[in-house]
Amino acid sequence: MRQIWNFHGGIHPPENKTQSLGQPLAEGPLPAELVLPLNMHIGAPARPVVQVGDRVLAGQRIADSSGGFSAAVHASSSGEVIAIEDRPISHPSGLATTCIVIRTDGLDQWVDANPLANYRIEDPARLVELLRQAGLAGMGGAGFPTAVKLQPRKVVDTLIINGTECEPYITADHELMRSQPEEVVRGAELLAYILGEPEHILIGIEDNKPDAIEAMQRAARGSRAEIVVFPTKYPSGGEKQLIQILTGKEVPSGGLPADLGIVVQNVGTAAAAWDAIVRGRPLTSRITTLVGENLLHMGNVRVRIGTPVQSLLDWIGTQSGAIDRVIMGGPMMGFALPDLQVPVVKTTNCLIVPSTAELPEPPIPQPCIRCGNCAEACPASLLPQQLLWFAQSENFDKLKAHNLFDCIECGACSYVCPSNIPLVQYYRAAKGQIREAQKEKLTSDRARERFEARQQRLEREAEERKAKREARMAAAKAKAEEAESSPAPSTTADETPPQIDTGGVERQLIALKDRLDKLQAKADAADNEDLRNKILAQMKSTEVKIAKLEQQLATTEGQS
């Protein structure tokens, strides 16, 4: 039996998972419109490959990944593209971003699938590319593009499939494991093949899911996958915490699991990978938990990605009266939706529609009493109290020195705080400020580099013009000295040509060319088009004068 380790901190909030497990998995509605954001994942948004007016089929790729750190987007039903525009998405601020909007036709026609029955004869690199084209992103909540995780720089000896689902209310992964355990296990084996057959394939499940554990153990018989059961504690589903539970290894601050030769994927991601490769079906739907006392029915539903939340609530039914709020995600790490027209996305694992009594508004925060409960509960072994002070004073250097970015925003510190301080909100805001400051610094550094490069170029060009000017002046001086020292040819009065002061002409030429160089420098430094045009007109006039003097000088030299 595999040894189980513990991690620092953690809490035991009420689980509230039985409400959504009383019914079998249901199929969600086909909405009138599908709203598909181009950035349902961490990284660069996808690039549209359809236009308004195009008819699309379910499973058709409508946006390509824009680089390695991106994921494609597919139509989740057939219909017509009626808009490519900014729409609100699932974000606490009500952020709007580019979405492809499809008016469904009710036919739900699919594109032809391209399954690979025997993926083991394929090159793993090709399978990674197929998963990128299938639009896979982590379905446990983070939305990390799956293809990126499957290309670690180090040899992988352990693949962990995360079936923990430790947050209260959420049972989407639980339902998947009890209703489709074979797909999860086969998907784990597929991911292991892509990663070069690591020595261990571990599927971690908390012990509060006995029916899912039994189903997964049956499905894993005869496979290399090992079902590992461990005690329930929040947030054991965090990537670093799960690694510590199953292997005893700790991911260092600022490090990645791949640094330890470990890759972690969600059970939903494993099943989706199996669908994408073996069945040829891209990611177009996901299981979402619908729960809360303001719903007429609760359960797990397979929802088409892009379904507006309001359509889903209208379909399942709500209690009479206005909905107080809808929380996307769980009560610990989720957030209240500012707009119910936002769509279900690849990371939407739960929608909670609570009554006021079920999830009351948090009480007014009080001053910190320095009890230390937050530090005891923190699973990342941070110092939440100090982080709070530094966040309030916007001391970004201290925040980074105290490893703010190791915070997984699990909310354990806020949960145990007797003063009801929303600690996680402070940390999230501070992270955003730091990222924005880093972005501004990068922009400033690039601007400074461009300015310095331009100054060096101008100085170099000025030196070149100066050298040319000095060379011309030296040549003119030498020529003038030569002319003065040469005896004048004897001529009769009638043959004497008109005398031209060649030295004066040359001096005029030198002065005009010097003026031309100065005008050129002013034109290079001009900061608006009108000024530049005026300078260019002056340069043209000067060039005409130079040409006339040079012609005059050439004629004089020819006569001599």
Side-chain angles (χ1 to χ4, degrees):
M1 186 174 181
R2 175 169 290 273
Q3 180 180 352
I4 298 300
W5 284 264
N6 197 3
F7 63 89
H8 179 271
I11 56 176
H12 293 85
E15 294 177 10
N16 286 312
K17 291 180 179 282
T18 57
Q19 300 98 308
S20 57
L21 292 171
Q23 300 294 327
L25 179 63
E27 289 295 326
L30 175 61
E33 280 187 4
L34 293 166
V35 181
L36 296 151
L38 298 181
N39 57 342
M40 291 185 274
H41 52 269
I42 293 175
R47 174 177 49 83
V49 295
V50 293
Q51 297 178 343
V52 174
D54 288 352
R55 185 175 187 275
V56 296
L57 301 177
Q60 179 178 334
R61 189 160 65 249
I62 57 176
D64 272 333
S65 59
S66 55
F69 214 92
S70 185
V73 178
H74 300 76
S76 43
S77 188
S78 57
E80 179 188 356
V81 177
I82 60 171
I84 301 177
E85 62 187 15
D86 284 355
R87 292 281 186 99
I89 60 170
S90 52
H91 191 274
S93 67
L95 177 72
T97 190
T98 305
C99 301
I100 297 176
V101 184
I102 299 173
R103 182 191 294 122
T104 58
D105 56 16
L107 301 176
D108 204 26
Q109 294 176 318
W110 272 79
V111 295
D112 293 334
N114 294 303
L116 286 177
N118 186 6
Y119 63 82
R120 292 187 177 276
I121 64 174
E122 302 290 339
D123 180 41
R126 179 169 183 253
L127 298 179
V128 169
E129 182 57 31
L130 289 176
L131 291 178
R132 179 181 287 110
Q133 294 175 8
L136 260 69
M139 298 175 70
F144 203 92
T146 302
V148 178
K149 268 195 174 183
L150 295 178
Q151 295 175 294
R153 297 180 180 179
K154 295 187 178 181
V155 176
V156 175
D157 61 25
T158 303
L159 169 63
I160 294 176
I161 304 299
N162 189 348
T164 308
E165 198 168 52
C166 57
E167 187 158 2
Y169 283 95
I170 309 175
T171 58
D173 289 346
H174 187 154
E175 179 60 48
L176 174 66
M177 288 187 289
R178 75 177 186 176
S179 61
Q180 298 173 253
E182 292 81 9
E183 283 85 343
V184 176
V185 174
R186 301 289 90 79
E189 292 180 320
L190 165 64
L191 298 178
Y193 172 75
I194 293 174
L195 291 168
E197 299 293 1
E199 183 179 354
H200 306 289
I201 305 175
L202 308 178
I203 302 179
I205 311 175
E206 280 188 329
D207 60 8
N208 63 349
K209 305 173 181 62
D211 51 349
I213 292 169
E214 182 181 355
M216 291 294 294
Q217 287 174 335
R218 285 198 307 268
R221 288 173 189 157
S223 73
R224 293 182 54 232
E226 179 182 355
I227 309 301
V228 184
V229 182
F230 50 89
T232 299
K233 182 170 74 166
Y234 180 83
S236 56
E239 188 175 63
K240 294 182 178 181
Q241 286 68 42
L242 183 58
I243 289 172
Q244 189 169 354
I245 290 170
L246 298 183
T247 68
K249 299 178 181 179
E250 292 188 43
V251 179
S253 176
L256 297 171
D259 298 334
L260 303 177
I262 299 172
V263 169
V264 182
Q265 295 283 8
N266 178 261
V267 289
T269 308
W274 177 259
D275 270 347
I277 300 297
V278 179
R279 293 175 179 162
R281 290 290 182 98
L283 182 57
T284 60
S285 66
R286 66 153 300 132
I287 297 175
T288 300
T289 303
L290 300 180
V291 67
E293 292 181 355
N294 264 348
L295 293 177
L296 290 177
H297 307 283
M298 302 186 218
N300 285 288
V301 180
R302 185 173 295 280
V303 184
R304 299 167 196 272
I305 293 170
T307 301
V309 170
Q310 186 65 67
S311 297
L312 199 54
L313 299 183
D314 291 343
W315 171 77
I316 201 168
T318 58
Q319 302 287 354
S320 60
I323 295 176
D324 178 48
R325 56 188 161 148
V326 176
I327 298 171
M328 184 171 282
M332 302 297 293
M333 300 181 70
F335 56 89
L337 293 175
D339 189 334
L340 296 186
Q341 294 305 318
V342 304
V344 169
V345 294
K346 296 175 183 179
T347 56
T348 306
N349 53 7
C350 182
L351 291 170
I352 306 176
V353 190
S355 65
T356 304
E358 184 179 15
L359 286 179
E361 290 292 333
I364 298 173
Q366 302 296 322
C368 173
I369 61 173
R370 297 171 174 79
C371 63
N373 289 353
C374 53
E376 292 179 7
C378 179
S381 300
L382 300 177
L383 298 172
Q385 186 181 127
Q386 280 81 353
L387 290 175
L388 171 66
W389 297 336
F390 298 141
Q392 289 175 327
S393 61
E394 298 185 358
N395 191 333
F396 298 149
D397 290 336
K398 286 288 188 180
L399 284 169
K400 288 186 281 188
H402 281 70
N403 302 318
L404 171 67
F405 283 90
D406 284 349
C407 170
I408 63 173
E409 301 178 18
C410 65
C413 55
S414 301
Y415 183 83
V416 300
C417 178
S419 296
N420 304 305
I421 301 172
L423 296 163
V424 173
Q425 278 71 18
Y426 280 103
Y427 305 153
R428 285 175 180 166
K431 286 180 181 180
Q433 289 175 300
I434 291 173
R435 292 189 184 102
E436 190 62 30
Q438 291 172 337
K439 182 179 177 181
E440 290 177 0
K441 183 179 183 301
L442 180 61
T443 302
S444 175
D445 289 345
R446 288 176 176 170
R448 187 185 69 254
E449 290 170 1
R450 290 197 303 271
F451 174 77
E452 291 174 351
R454 180 177 181 276
Q455 289 299 106
Q456 291 174 1
R457 175 178 61 81
L458 293 176
E459 290 173 3
R460 184 173 62 252
E461 291 174 351
E463 289 294 328
E464 291 173 354
R465 288 194 297 271
K466 181 180 178 182
K468 290 178 181 178
R469 186 166 59 250
E470 290 175 350
R472 288 196 302 268
M473 291 178 67
K477 182 178 179 182
K479 193 169 183 179
E481 291 174 351
E482 181 182 352
E484 289 175 2
S485 62
S486 299
S490 59
T491 59
T492 64
D494 294 337
E495 294 173 341
T496 302
Q499 297 298 311
I500 297 176
D501 183 5
T502 56
V505 172
E506 289 173 347
R507 285 192 292 273
Q508 289 182 54
L509 275 173
I510 292 171
L512 287 172
K513 289 180 178 179
D514 186 45
R515 171 177 168 76
L516 186 63
D517 289 338
K518 291 178 178 178
L519 288 172
Q520 181 65 58
K522 289 182 178 180
D524 291 340
D527 57 0
N528 66 73
E529 195 65 24
D530 290 341
L531 178 58
R532 181 176 174 80
N533 288 336
K534 289 180 181 179
I535 296 172
L536 291 176
Q538 295 175 16
M539 289 175 64
K540 186 174 182 180
S541 175
T542 305
E543 288 171 347
V544 170
K545 292 179 182 179
I546 290 173
K548 287 181 178 179
L549 287 175
E550 287 178 338
Q551 183 178 6
Q552 185 179 2
L553 190 60
T555 302
T556 303
E557 290 175 348
Q559 291 174 350
S560 62

